[in-house]
Amino acid sequence: MTGTDEPADVRALNALAETWRTSEDGTRRFVPGFDPLSGGTVSRVLVLMQSPGPQTIAAGSAAICSEDNPGPTATALRAARIESGLSRTHYLRWNLVPWEISGRVRPVDVEQGRLALGELLELLPTLRAVVTYGAVALDGAMRHLTLREDPRVVPVLAAPHPSPANGRHRADQHLRSVNALRLAARL
């Protein structure tokens, strides 16, 4: 969905994503679009992951950051969200680092992601909570709150990343995800 086909609550977010598609050195980079079935700018909960995953990247220009994406991470997040009772229209799924990262996450990626997060949060006036998945997303959210001058403070809940690579304690991981989303929905 683009242009006038996309919901008004997502249009401003996709305009922001377009600005991120051009890096500081002027080269184009991959940034998915926002999920048109999400809460968009009226979301009460922001679900923050690390960066676009391989299956999202593989979708190319049609890619969106969505619980409907193929792959085990999206499937695990969708199952936890449904079990938690959080309405799809009350949350927005996004990434601390909005663009594709090649290799390991570097400190510069987290810093640039922190700045992008600040821009995103300005477009979410009804936000009541952030649920971070994984250490990178949590670090970026905390850096935003503690390095930005006069940030708007909302509760941040942390859950383990739902990736299968992080699956030694899958039942515990799922329970923490469900409970974080349930708590966020109550705020």
Side-chain angles (χ1 to χ4, degrees):
M1 287 186 174
T2 58
T4 57
D5 293 342
E6 64 194 0
D9 293 338
V10 176
R11 195 171 302 127
L13 298 174
N14 281 329
L16 179 59
E18 183 57 37
T19 69
W20 293 328
R21 290 187 179 111
T22 302
S23 67
E24 292 173 358
D25 66 5
T27 59
R28 293 289 286 176
R29 59 187 170 193
F30 171 83
V31 176
F34 285 84
D35 186 351
L37 300 177
S38 72
T41 57
V42 296
S43 294
R44 296 188 331 218
V45 176
L46 173 63
V47 168
L48 195 63
M49 309 295 273
Q50 173 183 296
S51 60
Q55 296 198 20
T56 301
I57 295 165
S61 63
I64 59 173
C65 188
S66 172
E67 69 178 37
D68 294 329
N69 290 352
T73 298
T75 300
L77 178 61
R78 182 176 50 252
R81 194 235 355 126
I82 291 168
E83 188 175 333
S84 76
L86 176 62
S87 169
R88 184 166 183 168
T89 59
H90 290 168
Y91 95 103
L92 180 68
R93 178 184 174 188
W94 196 242
N95 299 296
L96 173 71
V97 181
W99 43 84
E100 177 181 6
I101 297 175
S102 58
R104 298 183 64 75
V105 178
R106 304 164 302 161
V108 69
D109 297 320
V110 176
E111 177 58 17
Q112 290 174 345
R114 173 187 77 85
L115 297 173
L117 176 61
E119 292 178 289
L120 174 61
L121 293 176
E122 289 176 14
L123 296 178
L124 304 176
T126 60
L127 188 70
R128 298 292 177 255
V130 176
V131 177
T132 63
Y133 282 89
V136 171
L138 177 59
D139 184 36
M142 291 297 102
R143 289 180 61 77
H144 167 76
L145 289 172
T146 59
L147 291 175
R148 185 174 178 131
E149 191 171 317
D150 197 30
R152 178 172 53 123
V153 178
V154 297
V156 177
L157 301 160
H161 195 284
S163 166
N166 188 24
R168 290 185 312 164
H169 306 287
R170 198 162 315 280
D172 179 67
Q173 176 180 312
H174 176 76
L175 179 61
R176 288 183 61 195
S177 182
V178 169
N179 286 340
L181 294 171
R182 186 175 290 139
L183 288 168
R186 289 181 190 159
L187 297 172

